[in-house]
Each structure stands twice: as C-alpha cells, then as structure tokens.
C-alpha cells in the first residue's frame, strides 16, 4: 500500500498552510483534497417544539462537535431561549470547548473537556457529575451516540435533542474516487454518503481513516477495513495518527 493522494471529508481549513495537514503534505509529499461529504439542514424552531423538549429543564449540555455547537445555538436564537449562567457544558475535546466561547463567555466550572488531549477522559467528568440532567444536541442520523450508551450504563438522566439533519452531497459528479489512495471520515454521515453515492463501492487497496468513535464504528459496520483511527490515548488528533501511518506508507519523504 502506497499513499500519495488523500481525500478528507471536511471543508478546507481556513488557513491550510498553517494547519497540521500542510505539515504532513510537506514532510511526506502527499496531497490533500477536502470535500464535505454531506449537507446540513437546520431543524426549525417549529419542528423542534414538536419534540416537546424543554431545553431549560436540563442542567448540563454535552457537545460532540463544533457542528453540533453551531446548530444548537442557532436553534436557541430562533426559539429566543437564553441559557442560564448556571448551565454546565461538557465537550469531547478542548478544541470544541474553545469553540464554544464563540457563544458563551468562558468561566471556570462552567465549561469542561477531556484532559491531556484525550477526549475519552470527558466520561470521567460526567461520571463525577451524575446528578445533572443532561441534554445531548445531535443530528437526526446520529441518535444512539456513545454518550447515550454511557448514560444508560450508569443510569444518568439525559435527553437527546435533534437539532439538525444531513443529506448526502453529490459525490458522483464532484469527486473522482479513483484519484485517491485514502479517505478520512469524520462522522457516520460521511460513510452513509459514500454508500449512497456509490452503492457498489469496493474498498480494495484504498485506506480509510476515521476521527471519532462514531465514524470508526460506522466504517467497521460497513464491512470496511480501518487503517487510521483517532482520538486515542497515543494519538489525540487525526493528523497525529496520520503522521504515524504516513511514516510507513507515504510514497516518499522529504
């Protein structure tokens, strides 16, 4: 297996040259293309009210991604709901926690996230705060997340709140899969989009990477081999995991 061209199922970083992908490109002489595999549709306030979920009945909110953060606060704005100062927020990563400050001011004992770049450590924090009534904003296609499994296992009270839905992007006309040696996924919606666009797709020699447990599980459930996975204790980011993989499989290095 030799890796030269990599397709990342995300939008291009705002400043690619300062991103970790640029470092990998220079170091291992690989190329990166970015294309979002799915489109996001916000849930309207009218449709959300049909769920009969009272957001302010909850004492803490759990976020798994920056997309979920954006969609949740867009919904709050439409519903004209102002979150109380005492609300707690738990994020899978420090990146999501810092992104959250786009919507709320950072205060100690208000925003919590996994330590040492290990997203799984956020579950230790949740376990120490079992008394909360948690709200889990999510997409319509991502019900039954790892948070749900964890809360069910430990008898922690929670509610899932669907804030957005997704649909496959038009990969058939916009993406030539034959150009790539590897695809990196970031959510189950990306895997679903690949299957919807290419129902007869065969992985063959193509390598797959996944960021997040949900995306990794979706790859395996599709019957495909997963070559790169993050976050782990050793590799907290997908670029850190790619670095190790490319050391062995990149076509050449500088």
């Amino acid at each position: 297996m030799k890796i030269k061209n990599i397709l990342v199922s995300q939008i291009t970083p705002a400043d690619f040259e300062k991103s970790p992908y640029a470092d990998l490109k220079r170091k291992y002489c690989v190329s990166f293309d970015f294309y979002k595999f799915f489109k996001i549709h916000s849930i309207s306030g009218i449709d959300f009210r049909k769920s009969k979920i009272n957001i302010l009945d909850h004492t803490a909110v759990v976020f798994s991604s920056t997309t979920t953060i954006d969609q949740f606060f867009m919904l709050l704005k439409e519903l004209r709901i102002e979150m109380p100062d005492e609300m707690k927020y738990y994020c899978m990563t420090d990146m999501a926690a810092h992104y959250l400050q786009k919507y709320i001011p950072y205060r100690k004992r208000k925003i919590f996230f996994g330590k040492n770049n290990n997203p799984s450590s956020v579950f230790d924090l949740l376990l120490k705060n079992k008394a909360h009534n948690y709200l889990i904003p999510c997409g319509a296609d991502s019900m039954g997340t790892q948070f749900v499994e964890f809360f069910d296992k430990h008898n922690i009270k929670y509610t899932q709140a669907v804030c957005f839905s997704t649909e496959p992007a038009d990969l058939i006309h916009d993406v030539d899969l034959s150009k790539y040696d590897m695809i990196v996924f970031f959510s189950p919606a990306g895997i679903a989009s690949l299957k919807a666009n290419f129902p007869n797709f065969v992985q063959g020699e193509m390598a797959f990477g996944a960021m997040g447990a949900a995306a990794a599980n979706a790859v395996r459930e599709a019957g495909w081999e997963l070559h790169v996975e993050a976050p782990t204790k050793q590799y907290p980011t997908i670029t850190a995991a790619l670095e190790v993989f490319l050391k062995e499989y990149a076509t050449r290095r500088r």
Side-chain angles (χ1 to χ4, degrees):
M1 178 185 295
K2 292 297 181 182
I3 306 299
K4 182 176 181 181
N5 300 307
I6 303 172
L7 177 60
V8 181
S9 62
Q10 288 277 62
I11 60 174
T12 306
D15 191 343
F16 175 81
E17 290 304 319
K18 293 183 179 180
S19 74
Y21 293 105
D23 293 335
L24 293 177
K25 178 181 178 179
R26 289 187 288 266
K27 190 171 183 179
Y28 297 101
C29 300
V30 294
S31 68
F32 288 97
D33 286 337
F34 297 83
Y35 189 90
K36 190 86 169 180
F37 275 31
F38 58 90
K39 298 177 181 178
I40 295 173
H41 298 284
S42 302
I43 298 293
S44 70
I46 292 174
D47 286 337
F48 183 80
R49 288 190 183 96
K50 294 177 183 177
S51 69
K52 301 188 183 300
I53 295 172
N54 185 347
I55 291 173
L56 297 182
D57 281 347
H58 302 82
T59 57
V61 186
V62 178
F63 291 116
S64 58
S65 68
T66 56
T67 295
T68 307
I69 291 172
D70 282 335
Q71 294 299 316
F72 178 70
F73 281 94
M74 285 171 57
L75 179 62
L76 289 182
K77 184 176 181 179
E78 184 176 349
L79 294 172
R80 297 183 180 179
I81 293 176
E82 187 172 335
M83 298 297 271
D85 288 340
E86 59 269 21
M87 186 68 73
K88 309 295 184 184
Y89 301 91
Y90 292 82
C91 301
M92 286 294 288
T93 64
D94 57 347
M95 182 183 74
H98 285 99
Y99 188 81
L100 184 56
Q101 296 174 55
K102 175 180 177 181
Y103 297 99
I104 62 172
Y106 178 79
R107 290 185 189 142
K108 274 190 173 181
R109 299 185 182 142
K110 183 170 183 175
I111 301 177
F112 306 89
F113 54 89
K115 295 181 179 179
N116 301 319
N117 289 320
N118 182 8
S120 63
S121 66
V122 74
F123 292 105
D124 295 333
L125 295 173
L126 296 172
L127 198 56
K128 292 176 181 177
N129 294 275
K130 293 178 63 174
H132 282 305
N133 181 11
Y134 288 92
L135 182 71
I136 310 175
C138 60
D141 64 337
S142 58
M143 305 289 282
T145 63
Q146 54 189 327
F147 286 122
V148 170
E149 296 171 2
F150 177 82
F151 288 154
D152 283 341
K153 179 180 178 180
H154 296 284
N155 297 314
I156 299 174
K157 191 174 182 181
Y158 70 91
T159 304
Q160 290 190 90
V162 174
C163 299
F164 62 94
S165 62
T166 61
E167 69 169 299
D170 186 2
L171 304 182
I172 296 176
H173 295 96
D174 295 339
V175 176
D176 180 3
L177 290 184
S178 65
K179 289 172 49 180
Y180 300 102
D181 309 301
M182 183 175 194
I183 301 176
V184 180
F185 298 99
F186 285 78
S187 78
I191 290 89
S193 178
L194 179 62
K195 293 169 66 177
N197 278 275
F198 304 99
N200 298 318
F201 173 81
V202 176
Q203 183 179 10
E205 292 297 312
M206 183 176 287
F208 281 164
M211 178 63 185
N217 289 338
V219 169
R220 295 188 179 101
E221 287 171 4
W224 298 328
E225 183 179 357
L226 185 62
H227 301 80
V228 178
E229 182 177 358
T232 64
K233 190 172 182 179
Q234 294 85 2
Y235 314 119
T237 65
I238 192 64
T239 49
L242 278 172
E243 168 96 28
V244 176
F245 183 71
L246 291 174
K247 281 180 181 178
E248 182 171 358
Y249 293 106
T251 53
R252 61 193 178 93
R253 300 188 222 173
R254 284 193 184 279

